[in-house]
């Protein structure tokens, strides 16, 4: 399938969705994106694994990154895409192949950008942070990402979303004593002991934090429970996996300390962690972006790679056509009118006066 970058961005979204690219299987789509971008004369196109980077070198005073991930969560009978009126259904329509389509279409149709542009289409965003393609590029080729400002086209419904929450996963473990289930009083049931962990989570009061007018609501939730030996054995271990979404005024270390405090007395093992990012909307580049788009601004409730750019000292915001509330759902869709609106809004910002 050949990708028509200069054509209808809605049709381009459908074409991207019809290329299955569950995390770890992005190579065929990355191949096509690479080939399509190589056909644009003003871009130098490079690649690291399944991450594709294209850069202009026009001598503009500022450089802007437009970034999006190519991967999706696992497909649930929702590929290929299908259209119903103004709605386009399919895995990744909102998160975030509509955003990818917007940035690719703009790359192909803006002849005189106001800024030098760097396009980054990367792999493995939907899995653990260690596999993230943007992280890999930041380590292997930090010069590829050097810029004055970055726009991550994650789903925001056309709103500018500042910063992002941090995320931490941990296993909270209870221990017991094995015994035959016919003589259960000789053992201690670790799964039963996990009830106290669940009670703690049920009673947990989430903190709300207002940072520069962006309100972040934290959350601490169980996302998995694992335990059991056999159908006739009292289990001696139970692991409750919890996910802590924390406001960007906490560091990763502070987030971990908070989780350990909440579960004092239990074994706690942090299995994955990524920092949040402050809104940064007072930075001149971000303020200029918000002014050009004339769009509402709110906090990003979720983790995105704006945190990655923030760690590199690059102001960044989230702005994309998808609906974040539809991400990862079997019935995921994007309103095609939002795709058109996002193209026009970003064109106002990117085209030289």
């Amino acid at each position: 399938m050949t990708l028509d970058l200069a054509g209808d961005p809605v049709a381009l979204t459908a074409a991207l969705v019809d290329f299955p690219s569950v995390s770890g299987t992005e190579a065929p789509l990355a191949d096509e994106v690479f080939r399509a971008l190589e056909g644009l004369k003003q871009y130098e196109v490079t690649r690291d694994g399944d991450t594709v980077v294209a850069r202009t070198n026009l001598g503009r005073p500022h450089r802007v990154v437009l970034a999006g991930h190519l991967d999706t969560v696992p497909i649930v009978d929702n590929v290929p895409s299908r259209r119903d009126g103004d709605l386009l259904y399919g895995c990744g329509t909102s998160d975030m192949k509509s955003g990818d389509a917007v940035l690719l279409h703009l790359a192909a149709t803006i002849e005189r950008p106001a800024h030098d542009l760097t396009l980054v289409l990367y792999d493995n965003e939907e899995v653990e942070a260690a596999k993230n393609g943007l992280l890999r590029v930041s380590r292997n080729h930090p010069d590829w990402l050097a810029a004055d400002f970055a726009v991550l086209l994650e789903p925001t419904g056309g709103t500018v979303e500042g910063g992002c929450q941090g995320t931490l996963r941990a296993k909270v473990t209870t221990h017991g004593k094995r015994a035959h289930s016919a003589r259960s009083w000789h053992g201690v049931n670790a799964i039963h002991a996990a009830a106290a962990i669940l009670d703690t989570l049920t009673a947990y009061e989430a903190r709300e934090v207002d940072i520069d007018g962006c309100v972040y609501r934290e959350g601490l939730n169980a996302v998995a429970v694992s335990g059991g030996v056999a159908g006739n054995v009292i289990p001696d271990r139970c692991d409750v996996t919890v996910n802590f979404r924390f406001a960007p005024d906490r560091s990763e270390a502070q987030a971990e300390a908070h989780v350990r405090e909440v579960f004092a007395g239990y074994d706690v093992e942090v299995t994955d962690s990524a920092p949040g990012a402050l809104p940064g909307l007072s930075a001149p580049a971000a303020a200029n972006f918000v002014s050009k788009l004339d769009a509402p601004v709110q906090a990003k409730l979720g983790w995105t790679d704006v945190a990655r750019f923030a760690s590199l000292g690059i102001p960044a915001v989230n702005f994309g056509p998808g609906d974040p509330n539809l991400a990862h759902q079997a019935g995921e869709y994007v309103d095609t009118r939002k795709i058109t609106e996002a193209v026009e809004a970003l064109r106002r910002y990117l085209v030289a006066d």
Side-chain angles (χ1 to χ4, degrees):
M1 180 187 298
T2 301
L3 298 176
D4 180 7
L5 306 191
D8 178 11
V10 174
L12 179 56
T13 300
L16 293 172
V17 171
D18 293 345
F19 250 108
S21 57
V22 175
S23 304
T25 68
E26 301 94 332
L29 179 55
D31 291 344
E32 289 303 320
V33 169
F34 186 89
R35 278 193 282 269
L37 287 171
E38 274 196 316
L40 304 180
K41 294 181 180 179
Q42 61 183 343
Y43 289 89
E44 174 190 354
V45 187
T46 50
R47 183 167 174 171
D48 182 307
D50 292 330
T51 292
V52 179
V53 178
R55 292 164 50 91
T56 64
N57 292 287
L58 304 172
R60 302 290 193 259
H62 299 101
R63 179 172 292 277
V64 173
V65 172
L66 301 177
H69 60 82
L70 294 173
D71 63 320
T72 70
V73 296
I75 292 165
V76 233
D77 196 27
N78 53 356
V79 169
S81 61
R82 64 178 179 87
R83 187 162 178 177
D84 183 1
D86 289 320
L87 306 183
L88 179 68
Y89 289 83
C91 185
T93 45
S94 268
D95 188 13
M96 61 172 290
K97 289 185 174 179
S98 55
D100 294 337
V102 168
L103 76 85
L104 288 168
H105 177 75
L106 288 168
T109 57
I110 293 178
E111 296 182 358
R112 294 179 56 251
H115 317 279
D116 266 308
L117 300 179
T118 299
L119 315 177
V120 184
L121 294 113
Y122 59 101
D123 59 298
N124 282 304
E125 190 272 349
E126 297 288 9
V127 289
E128 58 268 31
K131 294 182 178 180
N132 186 292
L134 192 62
L135 173 62
R136 187 180 65 252
V137 169
S138 72
R139 290 172 174 168
N140 295 346
H141 308 282
D143 54 308
W144 291 3
L145 301 179
D148 301 287
F149 184 58
V151 181
L152 193 63
L153 279 92
E154 284 277 4
T156 69
T159 295
V160 177
E161 293 188 336
C164 70
Q165 294 169 304
T167 182
L168 178 149
R169 278 190 293 275
K171 284 196 297 186
V172 185
T173 301
T174 60
H175 298 279
K177 179 183 176 184
R178 289 194 192 189
H180 196 296
S181 60
R183 294 173 292 280
S184 59
W185 56 92
H186 291 307
V188 177
N189 194 312
I191 293 179
H192 291 183
I197 295 173
L198 301 179
D199 287 343
T200 297
L201 290 166
T202 299
Y204 182 80
E205 294 187 6
R207 188 175 69 122
E208 289 191 1
V209 186
D210 187 323
I211 306 173
D212 296 337
C214 295
V215 179
Y216 298 88
R217 189 178 193 276
E218 296 185 328
L220 181 61
N221 294 280
V223 293
V225 179
S226 176
V229 180
N232 59 353
V233 178
I234 299 302
D236 59 351
R237 179 185 176 114
C238 182
D239 296 318
V240 179
T241 300
V242 299
N243 181 210
F244 183 36
R245 297 291 177 143
F246 54 93
D249 63 337
R250 293 191 201 259
S251 67
E252 288 178 273
Q254 290 169 332
E256 178 178 344
H258 177 68
V259 171
R260 291 188 182 280
E261 180 183 8
V262 171
F263 298 110
Y266 294 96
D267 288 344
V268 177
E269 177 192 358
V270 174
T271 59
D272 190 32
S273 179
L278 293 166
L281 296 176
S282 59
N288 178 54
F289 178 81
V290 172
S291 174
K292 288 278 189 180
L293 265 65
D294 191 26
V297 177
Q298 64 186 30
K300 181 63 179 179
L301 299 181
W303 186 90
T304 75
D305 277 302
V306 295
R308 200 80 63 203
F309 288 109
S311 71
L312 296 172
I314 302 170
V317 297
N318 304 280
F319 175 81
D323 183 341
N325 296 313
L326 298 172
H328 304 181
Q329 294 189 17
E332 181 180 359
Y333 65 84
V334 65
D335 186 327
T336 58
R337 292 167 295 187
K338 291 290 186 181
I339 297 173
T340 303
E341 290 169 7
V343 166
E344 294 311 312
L346 284 172
R347 193 181 299 279
R348 289 197 299 274
Y349 168 68
L350 293 172
V351 173
D353 295 329

